[in-house]
Amino acid sequence: QVQLVESGGGLVKPGGSLRLSCAASGFMFRNSYMSWIRQAPGKGLEWVSYISARSTYTDYADSVKGRFTISRDNVDTLYLQMNSLRAEDTAVYYCARLEREVWYFDLWGRGTLVTVSS
Amino acid sequence: EVVLTQSPGTLSLSPGESATLSCRASQSVSSSYLAWYQQSPGQAPRLLIYGSTSRATGIPDRFSGSGSGTDFTLTISKLEPEDFAVYYCQQYGGSPTWTFGQGTKVEIK
């Protein structure tokens, strides 16, 4: 079954850290570009980060640059290391597969909720 | 950075009616890089349209996309109960960056 399953969300205090994981199955993960996208409660979608198939290229939204790090293994898992978390990072975090010719997100996970609060 | 503005914010319609959703960009966007997504309550977004006009796999033909430059449209003909959801447009702006519109909610009248 072609799917993405996120995990690792939870409640963390401001300034804390959290590592999200996204397990891929049913497709050639190692050939796929991947991304993280978030959605604050009741809000719209915000692109967070992307990584190329061989991890050669990564990039981040300005709102998380210097605090978040995207990575992947060679098998089936995508990661997002989140440091120096702020209240405004509270959101559902989705991992998504990125189609790399016309750059759209063609497969999404169900998301994992990150809550940053004291 | 390209800003996408969707209108209306909310569309109140009855099943069987047609819906026309607008996505306006603050500067010209390549049609190849414009996509639409549907998000039902509590669900992840689902790709509907890519390249401004191409339907994704498994998307019924009552969904259609059109437009170019700064003005893009998603049309849903003959709304089904499962079509009542929030719809987002998205563009790829190079650099690389991706931006989304703020969404249009299609609700049952």
Side-chain angles (χ1 to χ4, degrees), chain A residues 35 37 39 43-47 49-50 58-60 62 94 98 101-111, chain B residues 1 32-35 37 39 42-47 50-51 88 90-92 95-102:
Chain A
S35 192
I37 297 155
Q39 186 171 35
K43 302 296 184 182
L45 300 165
E46 179 189 17
W47 169 73
S49 181
Y50 98 104
T58 62
D59 206 357
Y60 303 88
D62 287 344
Y94 298 101
L98 185 57
E101 291 195 12
V102 287
W103 301 109
Y104 54 84
F105 307 100
D106 65 351
L107 178 67
W108 297 64
R110 296 179 68 93
Chain B
E1 176 182 309
S32 297
Y33 297 153
L34 195 288
Y37 302 84
Q39 186 175 33
Q43 301 295 316
R46 176 175 72 144
L47 176 68
Y50 63 92
Y88 294 95
Q90 168 253 310
Q91 69 90 31
Y92 169 67
S95 299
T97 58
W98 290 263
T99 54
F100 293 87
Q102 83 279 18

Side-chain angles (χ1 to χ4, degrees), chain B residues 6-26:
Chain B
Q6 293 185 240
S7 62
T10 301
L11 205 46
S12 297
L13 296 167
S14 300
E17 291 189 299
S18 293
T20 301
L21 286 66
S22 172
C23 176
R24 179 160 292 176
S26 58

